[in-house]
């Protein structure tokens, strides 16, 4: 698919327009990119503002500040109270939401397309004009502390957060997105403004949209509400994690069932092996009930209720983890069965039929994911920030078709070496 070049960073006065079969892009004078996919047969408009800022950009004393900002953005702007923010879209049947990840913050909305401008006005307001009222800061601090307690009380969630810290010790990627009680209790208005000033880069912001509205309408509305945002860049430098050392930890918790996490760092977003590795992890522990881990540990032996393998690529590294819960007496057997499946893909290349089935399953999952216009809207923004482009399904399918059994086996031999795995286990208290 031919693509026009997206404007390079460093020239705030330039604008560009590029068109592909899937989406269109316009770059505002301040560097903010507008991406739109027109879908004829829908009345819903999905739109979002995604910033290339996340918890990995926090300093030690700022842990949890990106997530705190996400919460506080809804608590008052220069022209709206929290009450008016909440009701602005709810009153017309729309939805307003946000999330924070290790590398992104996103504010997004879904409305009937008649109210698209209203949604864009509100998103621009909470993203760029929040005032962080002191009373709201105190209230939201308590809300986040309650959220932290809720995660601690859920061992399935807590072990994933703790395992990040085990794999990426002394690095922001290992920190809990929610922060710590100590840091959250220290946040005030000045800390929020400092974090925003240190990290907001208008050339690392994408406004993403999916609806039946024409691109000209999207650009006009974006220019109206975002065109006056001052151009700004940041000198922020993301630092890659230090050399990885496998670790094995056990913790006693007030739980009935043992919880286990195992894995290691993986390929980055920019690694050519990323898609093949994703396919391999999907084969072993993906969402399908026919994943090899599920067929072995649940269907054949009845050791687990659920087991998942996931792969998360970051800018300069990645993460691969396997998570499950089981009776403590079955823990060692479960780990042994997982390693048995890992050995199979290391030692035996997939047959022609197995490879074909693995590819078809992944392509089907990706196609169904893209059927969700909101999911595509969010994916489009993230992809543009991470790689500067959005690959179409046909392009991704072509890449999948080109993956060979030998490639998968070579990746398995590198990534599934038992000696390189870290382990974290929550055990019931004695």
């Amino acid at each position: 698919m031919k693509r026009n070049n997206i404007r390079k960073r460093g020239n705030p006065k330039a604008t560009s327009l590029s068109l592909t079969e899937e989406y269109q892009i316009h770059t505002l004078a301040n560097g903010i990119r507008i991406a739109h996919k027109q879908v004829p047969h829908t009345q819903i408009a999905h739109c979002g503002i995604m910033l290339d800022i996340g918890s990995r950009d926090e300093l030690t004393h700022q842990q949890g500040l990106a997530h705190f900002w996400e919460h506080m953005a809804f608590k008052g702007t220069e022209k709206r109270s929290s009450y008016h923010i909440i009701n602005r879209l709810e009153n017309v049947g729309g939805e307003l939401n946000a999330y924070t990840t290790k590398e992104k913050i996103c504010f997004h909305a879904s409305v009937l397309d008649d109210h698209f401008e209203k949604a864009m006005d509100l998103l621009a307001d909470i993203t760029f004009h929040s005032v962080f009222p002191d009373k709201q800061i105190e209230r939201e601090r308590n809300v986040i502390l309650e959220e932290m307690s809720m995660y601690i009380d859920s061992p399935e969630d807590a072990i994933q957060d703790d395992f990040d810290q085990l794999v990426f010790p002394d690095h922001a990627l290992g920190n809990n997105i929610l922060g710590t009680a100590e840091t959250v209790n220290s946040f005030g208005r000045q800390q929020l403004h400092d974090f925003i000033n240190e990290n907001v880069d208008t050339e690392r912001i994408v406004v993403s949209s999916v609806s039946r509205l024409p691109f000209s309408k999207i650009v006009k509305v974006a220019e109206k509400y975002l065109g006056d945002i001052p151009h700004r860049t940041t000198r922020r430098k993301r630092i890659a994690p230090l050399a990885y050392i496998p670790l094995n930890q056990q913790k006693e918790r007030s739980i009935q069932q043992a919880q286990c996490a195992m894995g290691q760092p993986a390929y980055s977003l920019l690694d050519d092996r990323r898609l093949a590795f994703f396919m391999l992890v999907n084969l072993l522990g993906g969402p399908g009930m026919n994943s090899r881990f599920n067929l072995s540990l649940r269907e054949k032996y009845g050791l687990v209720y659920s087991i998942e393998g996931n792969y998360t690529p970051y800018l300069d590294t990645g993460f691969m983890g396997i998570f499950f819960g089981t009776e403590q007496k079955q823990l060692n057997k479960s780990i042994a069965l997982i390693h048995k499946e890992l050995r199979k893909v290391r030692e035996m290349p997939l047959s022609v039929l197995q490879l074909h089935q693995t590819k078809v399953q992944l392509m089907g999952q990706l196609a169904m994911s893209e059927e969700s216009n909101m999911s595509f809207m969010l994916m489009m923004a993230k992809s543009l920030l991470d790689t500067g482009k959005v690959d179409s399904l046909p392009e991704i399918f072509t890449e999948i078709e080109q993956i060979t059994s030998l490639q998968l086996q070579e990746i398995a031999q590198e990534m599934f070496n038992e000696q390189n795995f870290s382990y974290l286990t929550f055990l019931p208290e004695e």
Side-chain angles (χ1 to χ4, degrees), residues 45-47 89-90 92-97 108-111 119 123 374:
H46 303 281
C47 53
L89 300 185
E90 293 279 350
V92 294
E95 296 180 352
L96 177 67
N97 215 328
H108 60 95
S110 299
V111 292
L123 288 173
M374 185 174 75

Side-chain angles (χ1 to χ4, degrees), residues 260-264 277-311 320-326 330 333-346 350 358 361 412 415-418 421 423:
C260 183
M262 48 194 289
Q264 65 174 55
F277 184 57
F278 180 76
M279 188 167 80
L280 194 56
V281 174
N282 193 63
L283 166 71
L284 291 165
M289 293 294 289
N290 67 338
S291 73
R292 291 193 175 186
F293 291 156
N294 190 71
L295 289 176
S296 175
L297 277 77
R298 174 172 174 157
E299 299 301 326
K300 186 174 181 179
Y301 292 99
L303 300 179
V304 302
Y305 175 74
S306 66
I307 180 169
E308 66 171 298
N310 63 51
Y311 163 48
M320 187 279 295
I322 302 166
F323 304 92
F324 66 94
T326 189
Q330 305 290 2
K333 182 177 181 180
S334 298
I335 293 174
L337 288 170
I338 290 170
H339 281 301
K340 180 180 179 181
E341 295 301 327
L342 296 177
R343 278 196 301 276
K344 286 181 183 178
V345 293
R346 288 202 311 266
L350 298 185
T358 302
Q361 182 174 25
M415 295 303 302
F416 297 149
N417 183 338
E418 298 174 20
F421 271 39
Y423 299 84

